[in-house]
Amino acid sequence: MTTPVASCWWLAERLDDPDIRVVDTRWYLLEPGEGRQQYEKGHIPGAVFLDLDTDLSAPTGPGRHPLPAAGDFGALMGRHGIGNHHHVVVYDQGPGSIAARLWWMLRSAGHGEVSVLDGGYGRWTAEGHPTTADGPEYPQAPFKVSRDFTPTIDRHSLRDRLGTVQVIDARPADRYRGENETVDPAAGHIPTSISAPTDGNLGRDGLFKSPDLLARRFADLGVDPGVPVVSSCGSGVTACHNIIALVLAGWPEATLYPGSWSDWSTAGFPVATGAEPGTSTGAPAESSAPPP
């Protein structure tokens, strides 16, 4: 299994390698179609475009971006010329929070040869690497998934396990607290979950932090590597960024909650608000401090 991230220089030296496939997953919240428009203006040579809404999600299911059937996903890869023998390098506009979704899907379906481009398209252009507006033409390739997407958890199983697993929430801190919610039907977070926004996985240069710094980050947040972790976000996309960060840190791989907050909040399950995780019922934890 290859490294979860690849540098722009590493890819630039291998653009002509027939065993490399590059995938552009640029996507912008509340701006449907913008990613494809950006791709058509310019992209990494040889890159194919896959849309989060229409390619990497099922039409129906729990949450805003339900996972497709694994067999359908394998057929999608094959139609775009991606075979089981290819090393896939996937990128988005920069932070990797969307690219991480495809990284997780490939890896969890048994295809270990996949990396997220560290720094994404923004880093690629800043370093002066080539771009093109021409789309590639690849013959269909055989791609067979070796297993269903795993490990995942649904809302009922997660609700039953609150307090025995650690839930980390990749959304921005204001949405975790229940402020500025403009996407999902309720504001707040899954009770007991820890706020772990994806930008904390990156350094000032926009690249993933070192394994030691990532391990320190999660430890400072109160995450215990000895307790199972469930990664959540708004709709099961940016949660995969935290899974990459945990893998880079050398920690056990987290379980993905694909439906995430969009599924949990729609179901009317308990909600916690504010900066604290709350209890499994959604209520704030009782303070042990004496009354004033």
Side-chain angles (χ1 to χ4, degrees), residues 188-209:
H189 57 267
I190 297 170
T192 77
S193 64
I194 298 169
S195 179
T198 55
D199 58 6
N201 297 325
L202 308 176
R204 293 182 179 179
D205 56 3
L207 304 179
F208 275 95
K209 293 177 179 177

Side-chain angles (χ1 to χ4, degrees), residues 1-25:
M1 190 169 293
T2 193
T3 177
V5 297
S7 72
C8 291
W9 286 105
W10 182 92
L11 178 59
E13 293 175 349
R14 293 165 175 81
L15 278 183
D16 295 329
D17 187 337
D19 290 330
I20 297 284
R21 285 289 184 267
V22 183
V23 182
D24 186 318
T25 62

Side-chain angles (χ1 to χ4, degrees), residues 136-156:
E137 295 183 4
Y138 296 123
Q140 184 160 327
F143 189 100
K144 293 183 179 180
V145 297
S146 61
R147 60 183 185 236
D148 288 335
F149 295 124
T150 185
T152 63
I153 192 169
D154 61 31
R155 63 176 180 260
H156 294 285

Side-chain angles (χ1 to χ4, degrees), residues 173-189:
D174 60 340
R175 289 187 65 199
Y176 170 89
R177 294 191 300 266
E179 306 162 3
N180 305 320
E181 181 58 69
T182 60
V183 183
D184 293 313
H189 57 267

Side-chain angles (χ1 to χ4, degrees), residues 29-107:
L29 185 64
L30 304 179
E31 296 183 65
E34 179 63 20
R36 181 174 292 279
Q37 292 179 25
Q38 293 297 323
Y39 169 83
E40 291 173 352
K41 291 178 181 177
H43 53 264
I44 295 175
V48 299
F49 181 80
L50 293 178
D51 182 69
L52 172 63
D53 294 319
T54 59
D55 295 318
L56 304 182
S57 302
T60 60
R64 284 184 282 110
H65 292 113
L67 290 171
D72 293 342
F73 173 69
L76 173 76
M77 295 296 100
R79 287 197 303 273
H80 285 83
I82 299 171
N84 291 112
H85 66 288
H86 287 121
H87 180 164
V88 181
V89 180
V90 54
Y91 70 90
D92 55 29
Q93 55 267 40
S97 54
I98 308 303
R101 165 75 166 221
L102 180 55
W103 172 88
W104 182 89
M105 292 173 74
L106 283 164
R107 195 171 184 269

